Amino acid sequence: MSKITPSFWIQRQIPWGLSIALASFLVSCSYSDVPLGPTSLNSRYTEQQPALSGNSRFLAFVSNRNGSHQLLVYDLEQQQFIQTTGLNQRETIVESPSLSYTGRYIAYITSDQGRPVVALYDRATQQSQILTPTYRGWIRNPSISPNGRYVVFETASRGQWDIEVLDRGPDVELDIANGASVGASP
């Protein structure tokens, strides 16, 4: 019969003690002070592809927090979500948001008859429109100019990735900050 020595007990207790120390370290380094929930910016769901408005007030991102893939807009100043009626449609994918200066316009990728298209959501009118219905190639990575007139994106219509610039026209209502002159550069 072997004799149990004090060193035997120490060797058995060290791994257990290290486990407790590691666990307490991990708890002290957790994100428990980050607010989580349906009305906070962070949740326990996947949130990705963040885009910030030019004035740094609004944040748009893609989330699956409500059980579906959707584009959400968060007001960083008011610390609340912005109502985007008509933006997220059932069983429609939204990707790659881009915001104009005050976040009035949101350019994004969605699908139309199974093909990716660039769409534009106007928060003032709460309506979306497809900007690229006739493009036959693949489309990705839209970006809207700060004033909302131009939308650039990548397209593979020629068999390689090229950059397209879409001018929404001189009559579009520009997204400019209050007090800014209309002649300001885009």
Side-chain angles (χ1 to χ4, degrees), residues 12-136:
R12 299 272 295 181
Q13 298 301 319
I14 286 177
W16 188 76
L18 286 175
S19 296
I20 290 176
L22 180 60
S24 64
F25 174 74
L26 291 175
V27 168
S28 67
C29 292
S30 72
Y31 292 99
S32 61
D33 58 337
V34 175
L36 295 175
T39 59
S40 68
L41 179 58
N42 295 297
S43 76
R44 298 193 185 283
Y45 298 95
T46 300
E47 283 148 355
Q48 57 193 0
Q49 303 173 6
L52 198 57
S53 64
N55 64 0
S56 301
R57 179 172 177 178
F58 297 100
L59 172 69
F61 59 95
V62 176
S63 175
N64 69 348
R65 69 171 57 203
N66 293 325
S68 65
H69 197 80
Q70 58 188 339
L71 196 153
L72 300 176
V73 180
Y74 189 79
D75 184 335
L76 294 166
E77 190 175 291
Q78 300 292 323
Q79 296 186 359
Q80 65 186 12
F81 284 97
I82 301 298
Q83 184 79 347
T84 54
T85 305
L87 176 60
N88 296 299
Q89 303 297 321
R90 290 187 149 225
E91 298 182 21
T92 302
I93 294 174
V94 290
E95 298 284 336
S96 305
S98 175
L99 295 149
S100 60
Y101 184 75
T102 67
R104 174 181 176 173
Y105 297 114
I106 306 169
Y108 61 98
I109 296 288
T110 189
S111 59
D112 182 42
Q113 299 177 2
R115 297 197 71 62
V117 292
V118 175
L120 182 85
Y121 180 76
D122 184 345
R123 284 187 32 230
T125 63
Q126 296 185 338
Q127 293 181 353
S128 283
Q129 70 180 80
I130 295 175
L131 299 179
T132 58
T134 59
Y135 280 80
R136 293 294 169 224

